[in-house]
Amino acid sequence: MQTTTFAELGLSAKVLAAIEAAGYAAPTPIQAQAIPVAVTGRDVLGIAQTGTGKTASFVLPMITRLESGRARARMPRSLILAPTRELAAQCAQSFEKYGVNHKLDVALLIGGVSMDDQVRKLDRGVDVLIATPGRLLDHFQRGRIMLMGVEILVIDEADRMLDMGFIPDIEKICKLLPPRRQTLFFSATMPPEITRLVDQFLKDPARIEVARPATTAKTITQRFFYCDSTEDWAKREALRELLRTLDVRNAIIFCNRKKDVAILLKSLTKHGFNAGALHGDMDQMSRMATLDKFRSGEIALLAASDVAARGLDIPDVSHVINYDVPWQPDDYVHRIGRTGRAGREGFSATIVSPDDIKATDAIAKLIGEEPQWIGEAPDEAALAEGRSRRRRGRGGPSRGRSEPRVPARGGREPRRESGREPTRREATRRMAPVDRPELAPQPEFVDSAPEAGRRPVRRRETAPAGEALQADGRAHQQRRHERADRPSRAREEKRDRGGNEATPRAFGDHMPAFLRRPVRVSAD
Ligand code: AMP
């Protein structure tokens, strides 16, 4: 089969040169289908997710079309509406990348950052205005922009706009634009409200649908990791085990609740990992600063909530880890779409507790695959028990916190359910052997803060390999079980909860160097 080349898509020579400079060998499916239509001026309805190359599928034809004509004061020639500040900022970066050979004026209207420069640009006249809907209307109502010069409108991630309650704003904006314009409309899904919007504001669009990354992205290895406890500390431990075992270069770690993002960041930092966080309560400056550090590699792990991470374009994430199984299976697809982008290899790992069996079933149904487990899968009894649990909806009690087993503050925290022997699964659960023995599962260090008469002990010097893994796994689990009875666990968890014992844990060679951060422990 012959593959399409960028040269066949009707793009201008200057745009083709920029694509070559970006190092793209061939268009992605959405680009191959949308670009030839969009360059002719026809409307496009693109049903595609982030990670498919959709941004270039509208930015490249836009630049080509904007080559002729010029901007007039306060009258942008094209308008891109994006649901989040980050997505809007990333669109702006795409214009820098693909427009290197052009002199396009681009303005960005987003909340949270000073807009004086952008307003000055608008006053002079811009080719492209990228905005979040609320901010655009705000400026329009103050008389700072006129929208009757808009020749091309792009609506990106329309279903996210719907989630975020922006549809009335979108309708208002569409009514302010000239009817003779081109509209390029993108959405990952097509719920009825979005179909209605398309019917109302697009004219005879070419409908281009590319398969969801979850069903097509063979480049993403999806794995699930069963944590047989619903306790938060057990999940944090499972996460650390994953991080130490997988070949993680950088990872986004998703939580369902923003408050858990903060807790997780504190925990990861205190365990010596090089982490940052992104959650909805952060102001724009700190979000951008964290993102920049993550992009540059200064931060290797990013704990994030769905809303905060929406629309992020981080090209090179080696791993996505779901610390929580998302409540909505669609969110799973969005989350894992952050890795394995545009043909690169990616890996996602999802931590599943007994409370998450139903949500995991829903994900399996959506992706059309049975979960593949790292280590042992939950057995039939655990699955049946999990399926019979009452679902905890959004805003419901958080996992583990309603469980009677949670010890009183400062009390002893049981390692496993009180008083029983570890099950076979507990005794043998372990990670699949990995290529890098130095990252193979290792027993955790006991606290570096020595208890009276006890020195910090590292339990094993070298990682086991091959068959020894199995036998060692049982011993490892047994040791973990024994450690449950030590008061040190309570102290560790107190630190995790934000207690003031800020002694960093001693780590040895079992934490990859790139995940380490210089020891600076402050609860921020
Ligand atoms: P998007 O779906 O627009 O968020 O794009 C996902 C990532 O794919 C971005 O980092 C782009 O830089 C990259 N990308 C877009 N088009 C191509 C292509 N044709 N070849 C390789 N990478 C691409």
Side-chain angles (χ1 to χ4, degrees):
M1 199 182 77
Q2 207 181 344
T3 44
T4 316
T5 64
F6 276 110
E8 297 165 53
L9 305 182
L11 295 164
S12 75
K14 284 200 274 186
V15 170
L16 287 174
I19 294 169
E20 202 178 332
Y24 298 165
T28 64
I30 184 78
Q31 292 164 0
Q33 295 173 73
I35 293 172
V37 179
V39 288
T40 66
R42 185 174 164 191
D43 284 3
V44 170
L45 165 60
I47 304 170
Q49 297 219 316
T50 188
T52 54
K54 72 172 164 58
T55 315
S57 78
F58 60 80
V59 173
L60 299 173
M62 277 178 83
I63 300 178
T64 298
R65 295 199 64 217
L66 291 168
E67 275 180 15
S68 51
R70 61 180 192 84
R72 283 186 286 164
R74 292 194 183 189
M75 289 177 67
R77 299 173 64 203
S78 65
L79 171 65
I80 299 178
L81 294 174
T84 62
R85 301 155 178 184
E86 283 80 14
L87 194 61
Q90 282 152 23
C91 273
Q93 282 168 7
S94 294
F95 276 94
E96 277 170 31
K97 184 164 157 186
Y98 306 130
V100 280
N101 303 316
H102 295 76
K103 286 202 181 75
L104 289 177
D105 289 307
V106 178
L108 184 62
L109 283 185
I110 53 177
V113 288
S114 164
M115 286 289 112
D116 294 350
D117 288 353
Q118 308 299 314
V119 170
R120 272 194 291 276
K121 277 192 192 175
L122 277 169
D123 285 346
R124 288 197 299 269
V126 296
D127 300 288
V128 185
L129 171 59
I130 306 168
T132 49
R135 195 41 75 119
L136 178 79
L137 280 175
D138 189 36
H139 282 261
F140 180 81
Q141 277 148 11
R142 290 168 198 221
R144 289 187 188 148
I145 329 168
M146 289 178 280
L147 294 173
M148 62 277 228
V150 172
E151 300 155 34
I152 309 170
L153 166 70
V154 177
I155 298 182
D156 195 13
E157 305 217 349
D159 50 351
R160 289 293 170 198
M161 304 257 201
L162 175 68
D163 286 352
M164 297 168 84
F166 288 151
I167 297 301
D169 285 351
I170 302 284
E171 287 177 335
K172 255 185 238 164
I173 294 167
C174 284
K175 287 176 185 160
L176 297 169
L177 300 172
R180 273 176 61 84
R181 60 155 198 272
Q182 178 183 31
T183 306
L184 308 172
F185 188 104
F186 291 84
S187 189
T189 55
M190 289 298 291
E193 297 90 332
I194 298 295
T195 307
R196 195 174 52 77
L197 208 61
V198 167
D199 292 344
Q200 200 180 349
F201 294 112
L202 273 72
K203 283 199 200 90
D204 183 31
R207 181 186 166 105
I208 295 157
E209 184 161 1
V210 297
R212 310 168 73 89
T215 51
T216 54
K218 299 283 180 248
T219 53
I220 304 176
T221 304
Q222 298 173 55
R223 294 288 180 267
F224 294 78
F225 184 41
Y226 188 58
C227 167
D228 55 11
S229 166
T230 55
E231 305 285 5
D232 289 343
W233 58 261
K235 291 185 60 187
R236 288 196 290 269
E237 190 174 279
L239 172 67
R240 293 194 292 273
E241 203 168 336
L242 279 172
L243 290 171
R244 288 174 190 139
T245 309
L246 301 172
D247 192 8
V248 175
R249 180 168 42 76
N250 60 353
I252 305 186
I253 304 168
F254 281 101
C255 299
N256 288 353
R257 305 171 191 81
K258 63 185 172 197
K259 70 174 186 295
D260 287 339
V261 172
I263 294 171
L264 200 58
L265 172 64
K266 204 175 281 180
S267 170
L268 286 167
T269 306
K270 284 180 180 165
H271 283 270
F273 288 95
N274 173 7
L278 211 61
H279 58 77
D281 285 347
M282 287 165 73
D283 64 32
Q284 179 68 357
M285 294 293 272
S286 14
R287 280 196 213 197
M288 295 281 202
T290 304
L291 259 182
D292 283 346
K293 283 187 192 162
F294 189 61
R295 275 199 202 97
S296 70
E298 201 180 315
I299 290 173
L301 306 175
L302 192 60
S305 62
D306 291 288
V307 170
R310 210 148 273 166
L312 291 190
D313 178 18
I314 302 159
D316 221 9
V317 181
S318 78
H319 287 68
V320 165
I321 300 181
N322 291 310
Y323 172 76
D324 290 314
V325 178
W327 288 302
Q328 306 295 332
D330 267 2
D331 282 333
Y332 174 82
V333 176
H334 275 277
R335 288 181 183 183
I336 71 163
R338 312 282 162 201
T339 182
R341 289 179 158 206
R344 293 187 193 94
E345 299 236 324
F347 192 104
S348 77
T350 301
I351 299 172
V352 178
S353 83
D355 275 346
D356 304 318
I357 300 294
K358 279 188 190 168
T360 308
D361 285 347
I363 289 169
K365 198 169 157 204
L366 181 76
I367 63 175
E369 278 173 28
E370 282 302 307
Q372 293 190 36
W373 300 90
I374 296 173
E376 275 202 35
D379 59 27
E380 283 307 318
L383 289 173
E385 200 272 327
R387 287 178 185 131
S388 68
R389 286 184 179 228
R390 275 241 318 272
R391 184 171 182 271
R392 288 180 182 150
R394 273 180 209 273
S398 52
R399 183 183 278 117
R401 273 172 212 132
S402 59
E403 306 268 336
R405 298 199 302 274
V406 176
R409 229 181 137 77
R412 202 166 71 178
E413 190 126 24
R415 193 58 195 79
R416 298 279 174 205
E417 284 170 43
S418 52
R420 66 172 173 80
E421 285 297 306
T423 61
R424 188 183 60 81
R425 187 180 59 250
E426 285 164 359
T428 57
R429 186 191 82 184
R430 53 182 313 99
M431 314 293 295
V434 289
D435 293 334
R436 297 166 57 188
E438 76 278 12
L439 296 183
Q442 299 256 347
E444 209 186 342
F445 290 98
V446 295
D447 285 347
S448 59
E451 295 161 40
R454 190 184 286 157
R455 288 174 58 75
V457 180
R458 192 185 160 202
R459 292 281 160 192
R460 186 175 58 222
E461 293 306 322
T462 51
E467 288 186 0
L469 279 169
Q470 293 301 322
D472 192 79
R474 281 185 285 278
H476 167 41
Q477 290 295 337
Q478 185 58 37
R479 284 194 297 271
R480 286 168 65 173
H481 192 65
E482 285 163 10
R483 284 203 304 275
D485 295 333
R486 292 184 196 153
S488 57
R489 165 63 61 190
R491 197 170 51 242
E492 175 194 320
E493 289 305 307
K494 185 175 172 214
R495 289 205 309 266
D496 272 356
R497 286 192 303 264
N500 56 7
E501 271 181 79
T503 319
R505 290 166 67 85
F507 278 91
D509 55 8
H510 77 313
M511 182 190 291
F514 55 84
L515 291 178
R516 281 189 210 129
R517 58 183 284 149
V519 176
R520 183 190 66 86
V521 182
S522 67
D524 48 17

